[in-house]
């Protein structure tokens, strides 16, 4: 496996500079970190930093707030936890104020406890406050309190900000375009995910439990210093038809398909891969027929994932192939154009063909601009994940029942086309069957 890389301090600094240039000198930007979340009683979930905060700071601690004040001498200020040997003894190392400055390039750092005293003065005479309004009620109230504390001083000639603007407008647009280093981190996440999917295909056999397959993913991800980008979906037979199935606790049955949607997260950058394969290593005729439609739909959608095409073009291509295939197999009846227009394929294909991928598995970024599907551009990463799911229905031939298939890859839009960054993983029927016969 290739060497993992890291985002440089320069890149973080460039991101802050760019955002500050976009909002202008009459603005202040406030970004709180994520909180530690209680799992139960005294046990916490593993800490996962807020993606916006991480994108701008690289700082991986809770109880922190980043403030950007373009044009001031200290433009980047971090409020964070003070270094405390007792806390470090119990919960681990912390950067402290000195570390925030020395290692994360904050131009000033203050204890979080002092934020109510310091932040209002940083807001003085700024017209606009940029932050992610509505995500954290406690923080919303704090921001309003800071502004109110300035409002009462207007007679002293102090101006309070009078515009609150969603930070998403600029920041999420920046996050949508992945830098070369981000692309490399995502390729690396994809490689680790690929090796986990290969392992799963090799070890799979009837009578194993879904969680035994899940364990192969957890092992491979952790072995490479990564973690799941989302809870893995490991669904055999009818469970493959539950789109967000995460119980992963059923027995895998001979003759069923197994759908696995699992991806590693590398330094917070996600991969997102789905493969569907037969538990016993051989597709049945009915499974093969439906699988081939999904695969053809996926190729058609990837083909449409080109710079200059609309966000919706890959979905429309997938829908057309799936509707055509379902008509040919007798699962849908009627005119193709009417089936597409009236979305009559939706009982079998009820989700969209993809989403942006990045620091969040369903990554940020607008899908429409000015009411129109936006154009795909170089540097965007999206998933392409068509599927067919057949739930039991007395109007449908029983041979199709409980077949659930999704095939998902991660696609980077390039200047001249695209790069399927998860391309190394088999998905042709013959290739899957061959891999499942091979020794690990
Ligand atoms: N794994 C989540 C998704 O495919 O959207
Ligand atoms: Mn997925
Ligand atoms: Mn996905």
């Amino acid at each position: 496996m290739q060497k993992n890389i890291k985002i440089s301090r320069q890149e973080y600094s460039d991101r802050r500079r760019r955002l500050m240039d976009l909002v202008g000198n009459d603005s202040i930007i406030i970004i709180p970190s994520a909180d530690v979340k209680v799992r139960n009683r005294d046990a916490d979930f593993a800490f996962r930093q807020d993606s916006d905060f991480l994108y701008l700071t690289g700082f991986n601690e809770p109880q922190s707030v980043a403030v950007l004040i373009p044009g001031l001498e200290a433009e980047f200020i971090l409020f964070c936890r003070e270094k405390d040997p007792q806390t470090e003894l119990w919960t681990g190392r912390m950067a402290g104020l000195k570390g925030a400055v020395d290692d994360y390039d904050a131009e000033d750092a203050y204890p979080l406890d002092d934020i109510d005293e310091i932040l209002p003065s940083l807001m003085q005479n700024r017209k606009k406050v940029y932050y992610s309004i509505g995500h954290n009620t406690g923080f919303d109230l704090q921001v309003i309190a800071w502004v109110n504390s300035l409002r009462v001083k207007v007679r002293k000639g102090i101006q309070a900000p009078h515009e609150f603007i969603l930070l998403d407008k600029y920041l999420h647009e920046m996050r949508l375009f992945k830098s070369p280093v981000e692309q490399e981190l995502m390729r690396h996440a994809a490689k680790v995910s690929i090796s986990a999917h290969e392992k799963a295909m090799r070890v799979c056999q009837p009578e194993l439990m879904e969680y035994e397959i899940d364990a192969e993913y957890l092992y491979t991800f952790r072995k490479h210093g990564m973690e799941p980008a989302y809870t893995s979906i490991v669904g055999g037979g009818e469970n493959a038809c539950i789109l967000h199935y995460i119980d992963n606790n059923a027995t895998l049955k001979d003759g069923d398909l197994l759908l696995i949607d699992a991806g590693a997260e590398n330094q917070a950058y996600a991969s997102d891969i789905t493969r569907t394969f037969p538990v016993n290593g051989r597709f049945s005729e009915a499974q093969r027929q439906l699988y081939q439609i999904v695969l053809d739909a996926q190729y058609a959608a990837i083909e449409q994932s080109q710079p200059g095409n609309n966000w919706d073009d890959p979905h429309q291509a997938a829908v057309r192939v799936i509707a055509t295939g379902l008509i040919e197999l007798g699962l849908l009846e009627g005119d193709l154009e009417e089936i597409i227009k009236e979305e009559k394929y939706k009982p079998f294909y009820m989700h969209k063909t993809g989403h942006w991928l990045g620091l969040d598995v369903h990554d940020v970024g607008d899908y429409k601009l000015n009411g129109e599907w936006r154009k795909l551009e170089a540097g965007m990463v999206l998933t392409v994940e068509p599927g067919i799911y057949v739930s039991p229905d007395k109007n449908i031939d029983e041979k199709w029942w409980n077949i659930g298939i999704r095939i998902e890859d991660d696609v980077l839009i390039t200047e001249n086309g695209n790069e399927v960054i998860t391309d190394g993983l088999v998905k042709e029927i013959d290739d899957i069957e061959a891999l499942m016969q091979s020794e690990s």
Side-chain angles (χ1 to χ4, degrees), residues 239-275:
N239 295 334
C241 295
I242 302 170
L243 297 179
H244 292 160
Y245 175 80
I246 51 170
D247 290 347
N248 303 350
N249 59 3
T251 307
L252 296 170
K253 296 197 208 96
D254 199 356
D256 277 352
L257 286 180
L258 172 58
L259 181 155
I260 303 182
D261 184 343
E265 180 177 289
N266 180 19
Q267 296 169 54
Y269 284 86
S271 58
D272 184 4
I273 305 182
T274 308
R275 287 294 183 268

Side-chain angles (χ1 to χ4, degrees), residues 89-100:
L89 172 69
W90 284 89
T91 57
R93 295 186 183 86
M94 42 173 75
L97 307 183
K98 187 169 176 335

Side-chain angles (χ1 to χ4, degrees), residues 367-438:
Y367 292 94
K368 282 188 167 179
L369 296 177
N370 303 318
E372 303 285 333
W373 294 116
R374 75 182 300 159
K375 297 252 183 271
L376 297 174
E377 295 176 58
M380 295 171 165
V381 180
L382 58 141
T383 65
V384 178
E385 49 179 305
I388 293 178
Y389 313 88
V390 189
S391 295
D393 178 334
K394 61 180 174 15
N395 297 315
I396 296 172
D397 188 332
E398 226 174 299
K399 69 177 176 178
W400 307 116
W401 288 13
N402 295 323
I403 296 182
I405 298 162
R406 181 164 63 253
I407 307 171
E408 176 173 29
D409 281 300
D410 304 343
V411 178
L412 166 68
I413 305 296
T414 59
E415 294 295 340
N416 303 314
N418 66 48
E419 174 192 334
V420 181
I421 61 180
T422 47
D423 207 23
L425 182 58
V426 292
K427 57 186 173 186
E428 289 284 341
I429 289 173
D430 289 349
D431 294 339
I432 289 175
E433 291 188 344
L435 181 70
M436 291 187 75
Q437 307 309 317
S438 65

Side-chain angles (χ1 to χ4, degrees), residues 168-277:
D168 313 13
K169 178 171 139 86
Y170 293 119
L171 181 57
H172 291 180
E173 193 64 17
M174 284 170 62
R175 279 180 51 190
L176 181 54
F177 294 86
K178 275 64 182 180
S179 72
V181 174
E182 291 179 294
Q183 293 171 20
E184 205 43 40
L185 288 168
M186 294 180 77
R187 280 191 199 96
H188 199 177
K191 285 211 170 68
V192 170
S193 304
I194 288 170
S195 73
H197 278 275
E198 287 171 347
K199 185 76 195 300
M201 288 183 198
R202 286 197 173 101
V203 303
C204 185
Q205 54 175 299
E207 299 307 316
L208 282 182
M209 301 300 288
E210 290 166 344
Y211 52 71
E212 292 180 83
I213 303 291
D214 193 5
E216 299 293 344
Y217 288 83
L218 289 171
Y219 177 81
T220 306
F221 297 169
R222 294 301 299 139
K223 184 83 178 161
H224 291 91
M226 301 186 192
E227 47 231 309
Y230 50 91
T231 305
S232 302
I233 294 168
V234 183
E238 61 190 14
N239 295 334
C241 295
I242 302 170
L243 297 179
H244 292 160
Y245 175 80
I246 51 170
D247 290 347
N248 303 350
N249 59 3
T251 307
L252 296 170
K253 296 197 208 96
D254 199 356
D256 277 352
L257 286 180
L258 172 58
L259 181 155
I260 303 182
D261 184 343
E265 180 177 289
N266 180 19
Q267 296 169 54
Y269 284 86
S271 58
D272 184 4
I273 305 182
T274 308
R275 287 294 183 268
T276 310
F277 49 91

